[in-house]
Amino acid sequence: MADDVFILGRRCLNALEHFGEAMMLLARIFRAFPMIVRSFRLIFNQMMEIGIRSLPLVFITSVFTGAVTAWQAEYQMKEYVPMIFLGTGVSKAVFIELGPALTALVVAGRVGSSIAAELGTMQVTEQIDALETLAIDPVRFLALPRFVAGLIMLPILVIFADFFAMAGAVVVATQLLSITTATFWEGVKIFFHVLDVMAGLVKAVAFGGIIAFMGCYFGFTTRGGAEGVGKSTIKAVVFSSVLILITDYLIATLLFRV
Amino acid sequence: MIDIVHVKKSFHGVQVLGDVNLRIKRGQATVIIGRSGCGKSVLLKHIIGLLRPDSGEINIDGHDITSFSKRELFELRKRFGMLFQGAALFDSMSVGENVGLGLREHTDLTDVEIAAKVRQRLKEVGLPGIEEKRVAELSGGMKKRVGLARALAMDPDFVLFDEPTTGLDPIMADTINELICALNRKTSETIIVVTHDIVSAYKIGDHIAMLYEGQIIFNGTPEETKHTENPIVRQFITGSSEGPIQAL
């Protein structure tokens, strides 16, 4: 019993220590924000890596997300809801929830793991120490560009994801569910609110920051060679995914008060 | 001058540096020898401010850097160059980008001027024309030499070497030693080398200091080292398994 309490206490202390370290890193990233202009080339490179190179993955996941949403919405609605509301239901689901959340989760898998693995490898091979010896702040040089690129590129990816998902939904609705294009878009327009799209983009900014930050934090705190890099990569993806879902809920409760 | 005074450092309750005292004069090549894991690299990281001691002072030209802020440490490090044991080259960059990174970040030189300096430094370490190569394409010896070129790119006052010859064949090790000696002859840079390679120590060092059980137990010229009566130093330089140093 005493051992269990001791272990629990130690785990709590470890968690607090991690939280404190993470907050300190976040503070250092924000303190480095005035150096954004100087880091423009690095930010641009990361925008390409996080954004442009994620597009094919976002395309595939979004098209099928839209397609399956349309298919299953029709299955659930066909007996008691007029089909004009299929477009309404699909667009609301995609703009508010599925676009930002699923895009963030797949980007967390691709980009969060990549950032953690890259920075983790740099940590265990002394490349981060080498940066320090060259009088270059690793937070400014490595974390800031990734964080800023995450904040900028996730909303852009979500705009693409919304577009691809709606395209997938339209194809399924018109080609497989015998709903006309006009009916589908009429349904989208009836209850369209700009707030829905904006809420999705606000979420995307937060998700982009979470993905990049978790990758950087677990990358910088990597210890112990290849095994450590592997563990950091897993932690970056797991913590990003969990935080994305929690943040999703918190933002939804703030923006959509009942 | 670098003056290390009563420096102590522990990691998770294990004392690595017990009470280190060492004075390194300007322009001198000092080699710190000792067994693997005795704390040589830890001491080197203290000198460049990558680690802070639990107690004690590290004075660089009269300024105790243990109380320096992060910003002051970054300013100080512009006067340092360091070659890491594994070279620690940035593998996402080309050789030229590695060597020129410090110049790009801290000087107003144009791209053309940086390229010229990079070319010159690579030529000095015997690797002309490899600016465009990726780090993954280099052998171990080439990586060390590129690391040396990077360390020297900013014309530092102090150059630190962490096991510069470890993992290299004897000929490549001698090439690296020659480069370090040439650096010492040509410039007024202060050189600190940590190694357990006694051949390198004799070749490079104006002074040799031995770190043992967290303390500097010997400090003398290579000649004094060869003729010392200290049984620990004698055992280490002769590479004998018999003696006061216990093989683990």
Side-chain angles (χ1 to χ4, degrees):
Chain A
M1 180 65 186
D3 279 355
D4 290 344
V5 172
F6 178 72
I7 290 167
L8 183 69
R10 203 167 57 186
R11 285 196 177 160
C12 288
L13 281 176
N14 274 344
L16 276 175
E17 197 180 323
H18 271 292
F19 181 75
E21 278 182 34
M23 289 303 105
M24 280 169 66
L25 176 61
L26 192 61
R28 285 182 67 191
I29 292 173
F30 281 116
R31 271 209 304 271
F33 259 73
M35 311 288 274
I36 277 183
V37 176
R38 200 175 151 200
S39 308
F40 180 76
R41 189 177 53 86
L42 299 167
I43 294 170
F44 180 78
N45 289 343
Q46 290 305 317
M47 285 168 70
M48 294 294 287
E49 185 58 42
I50 293 173
I52 306 302
R53 299 205 176 102
S54 295
L55 262 180
L57 185 63
V58 169
F59 171 76
I60 292 170
T61 50
S62 305
V63 164
F64 283 96
T65 299
V68 76
T69 306
W71 186 268
Q72 297 204 333
E74 193 267 352
Y75 170 76
Q76 291 172 61
M77 291 161 64
K78 63 185 172 189
E79 287 171 5
Y80 50 89
V81 181
M83 275 306 124
I84 192 171
F85 294 117
L86 183 75
T88 311
V90 169
S91 62
K92 293 262 177 200
V94 165
F95 294 151
I96 296 173
E97 188 57 41
L98 296 177
L102 288 180
T103 303
L105 290 172
V106 295
V107 172
R110 199 192 89 83
V111 174
S113 59
S114 155
I115 293 174
E118 186 182 0
L119 300 194
T121 304
M122 289 184 77
Q123 181 67 263
V124 300
T125 56
E126 294 187 309
Q127 290 178 51
I128 289 178
D129 280 349
L131 269 181
E132 297 236 20
T133 64
L134 289 169
I136 297 169
D137 181 4
V139 172
R140 200 272 298 167
F141 194 77
L142 298 171
L144 178 71
R146 285 162 176 79
F147 188 72
V148 173
L151 295 179
I152 295 170
M153 291 316 287
L154 240 287
I156 293 173
L157 283 174
V158 166
I159 291 170
F160 277 101
D162 288 350
F163 176 77
F164 295 144
M166 291 307 290
V170 167
V171 170
V172 168
T174 56
Q175 303 302 311
L176 302 175
L177 303 175
S178 307
I179 297 166
T180 64
T181 311
T183 306
F184 183 87
W185 287 115
E186 188 56 34
V188 173
K189 280 190 279 182
I190 293 172
F191 292 106
F192 179 81
H193 296 126
V194 176
L195 174 69
D196 297 346
V197 179
M198 295 309 293
L201 297 182
V202 168
K203 286 180 181 180
V205 173
F207 297 160
I210 288 169
I211 293 165
F213 178 70
M214 285 291 112
C216 291
Y217 174 68
F218 286 109
F220 279 143
T221 52
T222 300
R223 299 286 179 273
E227 189 190 3
V229 175
K231 283 181 181 168
S232 292
T233 308
I234 293 169
K235 282 182 194 166
V237 176
V238 169
F239 277 82
S240 295
S241 304
V242 170
L243 282 177
I244 284 166
L245 296 174
I246 294 171
T247 310
D248 190 17
Y249 171 75
L250 293 175
I251 294 176
T253 56
L254 286 173
L255 294 180
F256 301 100
R257 290 193 172 277
V258 287
Chain B
M1 187 170 71
I2 298 174
D3 202 5
I4 300 164
V5 186
H6 297 304
V7 164
K8 294 181 182 176
K9 181 71 178 179
S10 300
F11 294 101
H12 306 293
V14 179
Q15 191 167 67
V16 177
L17 302 179
D19 183 18
V20 174
N21 293 282
L22 182 64
R23 180 168 288 181
I24 296 163
K25 290 182 186 153
R26 182 171 278 274
Q28 196 176 65
T30 300
V31 179
I32 301 166
I33 58 172
R35 296 191 69 194
S36 297
C38 74
K40 303 187 295 293
S41 299
V42 169
L43 181 58
L44 211 56
K45 287 183 178 179
H46 276 83
I47 293 171
I48 200 167
L50 288 175
L51 293 172
R52 283 187 201 268
D54 297 335
S55 64
E57 290 178 12
I58 295 166
N59 296 299
I60 312 277
D61 291 341
H63 301 286
D64 180 12
I65 67 164
T66 60
S67 57
F68 272 21
S69 67
K70 214 152 181 77
R71 189 182 295 259
E72 288 172 318
L73 279 175
F74 280 130
E75 275 307 310
L76 175 84
R77 286 180 194 142
K78 290 178 188 170
R79 298 175 58 200
F80 277 82
M82 182 165 174
L83 173 61
F84 284 81
Q85 189 172 347
L89 299 179
F90 308 118
D91 41 26
S92 59
M93 299 180 192
S94 68
V95 167
E97 287 169 334
N98 263 280
V99 178
L101 183 62
L103 296 168
R104 191 172 296 283
E105 288 288 320
H106 301 306
T107 68
D108 296 325
L109 295 177
T110 64
D111 286 353
V112 175
E113 289 167 327
I114 290 172
K117 278 221 167 205
V118 167
R119 211 164 29 246
Q120 175 63 23
R121 286 302 184 191
L122 285 172
K123 198 173 157 196
E124 283 169 12
V125 298
L127 295 171
I130 66 158
E131 292 91 326
E132 298 305 319
K133 275 193 184 292
R134 307 302 298 182
V135 171
E137 297 173 59
L138 306 178
S139 68
M142 289 168 88
K143 282 182 184 168
K144 293 259 180 162
R145 284 188 281 169
V146 172
L148 179 56
R150 185 178 69 184
L152 301 178
M154 294 275 288
D155 297 316
D157 296 333
F158 307 93
V159 191
L160 314 182
F161 296 85
D162 188 2
E163 308 272 8
T165 56
T166 299
L168 301 180
D169 66 73
I171 294 163
M172 183 53 70
D174 195 53
T175 306
I176 297 287
N177 289 338
E178 283 295 336
L179 284 168
I180 298 171
C181 290
L183 172 72
N184 195 23
R185 280 195 300 269
K186 275 201 292 191
T187 67
S188 59
E189 288 157 359
T190 305
I191 291 172
I192 305 168
V193 181
V194 303
T195 184
H196 50 238
D197 176 358
I198 201 70
V199 177
S200 297
Y202 285 146
K203 183 153 194 166
I204 298 166
D206 297 324
H207 267 78
I208 296 175
M210 181 161 175
L211 184 63
Y212 179 71
E213 293 189 343
Q215 298 191 359
I216 298 291
I217 57 156
F218 173 85
N219 189 4
T221 64
E223 273 310 301
E224 287 167 344
T225 311
K226 284 175 192 166
H227 300 109
T228 181
E229 296 298 318
N230 185 319
I232 297 169
V233 181
R234 285 216 64 75
Q235 187 190 351
F236 186 81
I237 61 175
T238 55
S240 170
S241 60
E242 300 290 324
I245 305 174
Q246 295 298 306
L248 299 173

